[in-house]
Amino acid sequence: MIFLITGRIGTGALAYAKAMNAAGFTCVQDELAKLGDKPVVYDGAPRYAVADPSHINKILTDFPSELFHIIYIKIDEDDEEEAGRRARYVADSDKPADEATKTFIEQDAQESPMFNEFETGFDALADKFKNFRAMHTITNNFDPTTVREWADYFYKYHNMYTRLINLVKLGVKYHVVNCNDNGDIRLVLRSKKSEEHTQEFVSKEIFADILLTDNTGLAMLVREVLESATADEIAEIA
């Protein structure tokens, strides 16, 4: 799982990147800039990168074996959106106010079309890319404490994901979940438009990612694994 941080100029997205570093994340910006579906450096720490929407599409295309969660940073909706972002950018910039304003106007004009398309195309993105797993939208109040708390939250979120993978492996070992010959896990899906059910097979990583937001499925898996696994195996989950 890799978190991709994005946001328009003036939303404070880079402050979240700094907080992720402080929380113990590894930045894999350079690795994601390379071509091809090669394994991205993973030393056990959660990973993140900063990317604009055009790069997000490229990353999702180039790295189909990695799972991605997008962290989308916005500003308080009570602010007049463009003016609020401009004021924030100018206040935080090291440049003189007139130069910072000019930079903001130019960059905002350049990036607005792709962010407009991005904001209206979340569903299409999920339909196109199986490795795009979730969108986390954060309204930035520019409170350093809140920013740190979000970074800590995502660190813990990743820890839960890695432990869920270990739990899923035990589920496979004790036939709690159904797998095909490749070790992929069978899912039964109910159509949103009808009562029909279909099935598909997903990797252990995707199944663990699904369990992050499926409390009922997680509870069933935990109960059945606890009934079958040894105490040492349970201890190894953490």
Side-chain angles (χ1 to χ4, degrees), residues 13-230:
L14 292 181
Y16 279 80
K18 293 179 181 178
M20 301 286 253
N21 284 332
F25 280 76
T26 296
C27 180
V28 291
Q29 197 96 8
D30 292 341
E31 285 83 356
L32 293 180
K34 300 174 183 177
L35 294 175
D37 184 26
K38 298 179 181 178
V40 181
V41 172
Y42 181 55
D43 58 4
R47 299 165 294 171
Y48 84 93
V50 179
D52 64 33
S54 65
H55 288 120
I56 287 175
N57 279 271
K58 186 176 185 303
I59 289 168
L60 292 173
T61 300
D62 287 349
F63 296 91
S65 298
E66 294 283 353
L67 303 188
F68 293 93
H69 283 228
I70 296 174
I71 301 174
Y72 185 39
I73 311 299
K74 304 181 71 173
I75 65 167
D76 194 326
E77 295 178 357
D78 291 336
D79 290 339
E80 196 283 311
E81 207 271 339
E82 189 274 340
R85 289 189 294 108
R86 178 172 57 191
R88 285 289 184 182
Y89 179 82
V90 172
D92 293 341
S93 177
D94 295 330
K95 302 177 182 178
D98 57 345
E99 186 178 344
T101 300
K102 182 175 182 292
T103 299
F104 175 88
I105 292 172
E106 291 175 350
Q107 184 172 333
D108 187 57
Q110 180 181 11
E111 69 182 21
S112 281
M114 65 179 173
F115 271 104
N116 291 341
E117 181 179 355
F118 178 70
E119 289 170 347
T120 58
F122 292 156
D123 290 341
L125 196 68
D127 290 339
K128 183 177 180 181
F129 297 105
K130 192 173 183 179
N131 56 337
F132 164 48
R133 303 306 307 168
M135 177 76 70
H136 308 271
T137 301
I138 299 175
T139 300
N140 190 4
N141 64 2
F142 296 89
D143 179 353
T145 299
T146 302
V147 175
R148 287 196 302 271
E149 288 174 347
W150 272 114
D152 290 340
Y153 165 80
F154 287 118
Y155 189 92
K156 294 174 183 177
Y157 189 93
H158 178 272
N159 283 348
M160 182 165 63
Y161 164 73
T162 57
R163 289 165 183 165
L164 278 176
I165 292 175
N166 294 332
L167 180 68
V168 169
K169 289 178 179 177
L170 285 178
V172 171
K173 177 179 179 179
Y174 288 102
H175 307 289
V176 172
V177 292
N178 295 319
C179 298
N180 61 15
D181 292 339
N182 296 323
D184 293 328
I185 296 171
R186 176 176 173 265
L187 290 181
V188 177
L189 306 174
R190 180 177 177 179
S191 171
K192 296 179 181 179
K193 298 180 180 179
S194 70
E195 295 298 317
E196 294 182 359
H197 291 75
T198 60
Q199 71 174 19
E200 69 173 281
F201 289 88
V202 299
S203 68
K204 298 177 184 67
E205 290 76 16
I206 289 180
F207 189 66
D209 190 275
I210 291 171
L211 290 175
L212 285 168
T213 54
D214 181 3
N215 291 334
T216 301
L218 176 59
M220 292 175 61
L221 178 64
V222 168
R223 184 184 63 203
E224 295 191 33
V225 167
L226 288 177
E227 290 174 351
S228 303
T230 67

